[in-house]
Amino acid sequence: MPEDVVQHTRPGPPAQSDQEKPRAKRASRDPYFDNAKYLTIVLVACGHAWEPLTYGSRTATAAYLTVYAFHMPAFALISGYFSRSFDMAPGRLKRLMTGVVLPYVVFETAYTLFYRWAQDDPGYPLSLLDPWYVMWFLVALFVWRLTTPLWLMLRHPLPVALGLAMLAAVSPDLGGDVSIQRVLGFLPFFVLGLTLRPEHFERLRTRRVRLFLLPVGLGAFLAAYRVAPWFDAGWFYHRGSVTGQGVSRWVGLLTTPALFCLAVLLTACFLAWVPRRQLWFTALGAGTMYGYLLHGFVIKWARFRDWYAVEWLHTPLGQLTVTAMAVGGITLLCTAPVRGALRCVVEPRMEWAFKKGDAASPARTKDATPPDRTADPSPAAGTGDAAPSPSRAPES
């Protein structure tokens, strides 16, 4: 995740001669994808901030369900789209280690120490095989990216990935190590991203498609409002098999593809309305991994200290205030000063850890589009540790 696990660029000009290359400027980033990444991480933060408000507010629950139906699938899809060039070359493996593995180890440890301190529980275990809260997405991104060459080899990768997700949904004994249920549950969205091309996004952004998808998005919110009193948001978490929702395991053979189609449709609605021009928040799209990794501390601190016990926050004005704080907070965490201060652990170079020379140098792949580094993801939603209602556990 150097730069952001993603360095997406506009289509470049015709190939230059060797004499012209030294004077060539680096291609500019595509503002559309930076805008998409920033808006997605905003939805992640809002979803986490809204979760405590869903206990008693039908409107907050409807907004929460609508966002959770697609925000992490959108993260996974965009990650897949920018992972198309991952080919196990030394340079890309190096970026995978420094941009995904190292931040995971650092922040998984930091979150564990944070929990021990905030909850006065010095014996809380540290386990790199059991990701805490938002950290599951980095594990998933690592596994997805390592398997990218395999998915690109298959003739029909999406049906295979969807089949694995269905098997995970009907397998209550699969276990929870390395968040395997989520890795497989969101895998089809990553694989779908691998199959997409620039023209697919261009079609989404046509006026006709945007106008067609607008009522679809509004209809999804109205449907969420209708089912809010009884629908369990746990269906969107992919945290375990469907038996955890109190249904037969074989129901997963139907619900998994159905939820996949719903998420893809809502993701299309979202991406169709993402601005394509340079805006004030476009540059923040390069810092979404910072916002993703850091905002969990704020969200958990608010839960540990019972900030949501203030009744005023559960009024319409209070809910708007929580939303504004979530948007402002995640925006701040994506800014350049934060990135500069924490680059050493989120985007370290670690030249000292790798052999020097052509074999290990990322320069060999500099002309290819580097893999994406979204933070969302999970992103993203993670398993909550505060005592949640059995119907809606905090997610990331």
Side-chain angles (χ1 to χ4, degrees):
M1 304 173 157
E3 241 260 287
D4 169 46
V5 176
V6 175
Q7 292 178 344
H8 43 80
T9 59
R10 295 181 179 276
Q16 296 172 305
S17 65
D18 293 339
Q19 291 78 11
E20 293 174 311
K21 285 182 179 179
R23 297 190 299 270
K25 293 184 179 180
R26 183 181 178 182
S28 62
R29 295 173 64 101
D30 187 342
Y32 171 76
F33 287 106
D34 274 332
N35 291 339
K37 290 170 59 186
Y38 168 76
L39 294 175
T40 307
I41 198 64
V42 165
L43 292 178
V44 169
C46 287
H48 286 157
W50 289 341
E51 192 276 333
L53 303 177
T54 60
Y55 309 115
S57 172
R58 190 168 182 172
T59 301
T61 302
Y64 180 83
L65 291 176
T66 304
V67 166
Y68 265 79
F70 77 91
H71 78 312
M72 287 313 298
F75 247 33
L77 184 147
I78 295 174
S79 296
Y81 179 72
F82 286 106
S83 295
R84 293 171 300 156
S85 63
F86 188 84
D87 57 3
M88 304 294 281
R92 293 194 174 95
L93 286 174
K94 174 184 174 182
R95 285 194 292 269
L96 184 63
M97 294 298 295
T98 59
V100 178
V101 176
L102 182 65
Y104 172 74
V105 173
V106 170
F107 280 88
E108 179 66 24
T109 302
Y111 271 112
T112 300
L113 297 177
F114 169 73
Y115 183 90
R116 291 178 179 179
W117 170 71
Q119 295 291 79
D120 193 19
D121 183 6
Y124 187 77
L126 167 64
S127 174
L128 296 180
L129 296 179
D130 184 17
W132 193 74
Y133 199 37
V134 299
M135 300 309 299
W136 71 268
F137 186 74
L138 268 68
V139 174
L141 187 61
F142 175 74
V143 174
W144 296 339
R145 192 156 288 158
L146 276 184
T147 59
T148 292
L150 173 62
W151 297 114
L152 295 177
M153 287 171 54
L154 296 178
R155 187 182 298 272
H156 303 293
L158 185 56
V160 176
L162 192 56
L164 290 175
M166 294 165 65
L167 287 176
V170 301
S171 304
D173 299 324
L174 188 58
D177 288 346
V178 296
S179 293
I180 188 62
Q181 291 280 6
R182 280 177 164 173
V183 171
L184 296 178
F186 288 99
L187 174 63
F189 303 102
F190 179 84
V191 173
L192 176 60
L194 290 175
T195 67
L196 296 179
R197 297 295 179 265
E199 54 267 26
H200 294 123
F201 293 94
E202 289 298 329
R203 292 171 189 167
L204 271 183
R205 285 142 54 176
T206 61
R207 178 180 176 83
R208 177 179 298 180
V209 172
R210 296 176 74 192
L211 292 178
F212 172 78
L213 291 176
L214 181 59
V216 174
L218 295 176
F221 176 80
L222 294 177
Y225 186 85
R226 183 176 181 82
V227 305
W230 56 267
F231 185 81
D232 189 343
W235 284 101
F236 300 134
Y237 300 161
H238 297 289
R239 199 167 47 191
S241 74
V242 296
T243 57
Q245 303 302 322
V247 299
S248 168
R249 60 189 295 183
W250 304 114
V251 173
L253 297 178
L254 298 176
T255 57
T256 301
L259 292 175
F260 173 78
C261 292
L262 173 63
V264 170
L265 180 60
L266 293 181
T267 298
C269 295
F270 168 72
L271 293 175
W273 283 92
V274 169
R276 67 177 70 187
R277 65 185 184 279
Q278 193 86 15
L279 298 171
W280 65 268
F281 58 77
T282 301
L284 300 176
T288 51
M289 181 57 74
Y290 293 79
Y292 183 80
L293 292 173
L294 295 171
H295 85 283
F297 292 104
V298 181
I299 295 295
K300 284 301 184 182
W301 180 256
R303 299 300 301 274
F304 292 157
R305 291 297 174 262
D306 291 327
W307 290 359
Y308 286 92
V310 179
E311 293 186 7
W312 175 78
L313 290 179
H314 297 267
T315 65
L317 181 58
Q319 293 169 359
L320 291 175
T321 302
V322 170
T323 302
M325 292 179 65
V327 174
I330 200 69
T331 299
L332 178 64
L333 294 177
C334 294
T335 56
V338 174
R339 293 172 60 193
L342 295 178
R343 192 179 302 276
C344 59
V345 292
V346 179
E347 298 178 293
R349 292 188 178 276
M350 292 185 63
E351 300 295 342
W352 55 269
F354 300 95
K355 293 181 179 179
K356 295 182 179 180
D358 293 340
S361 174
R364 295 180 62 188
T365 56
K366 64 182 179 181
D367 292 329
T369 303
D372 174 35
R373 174 196 285 235
T374 55
D376 270 161
S378 180
T383 309
D385 296 285
S389 163
S391 62
R392 289 191 195 88
E395 269 303 313
S396 73

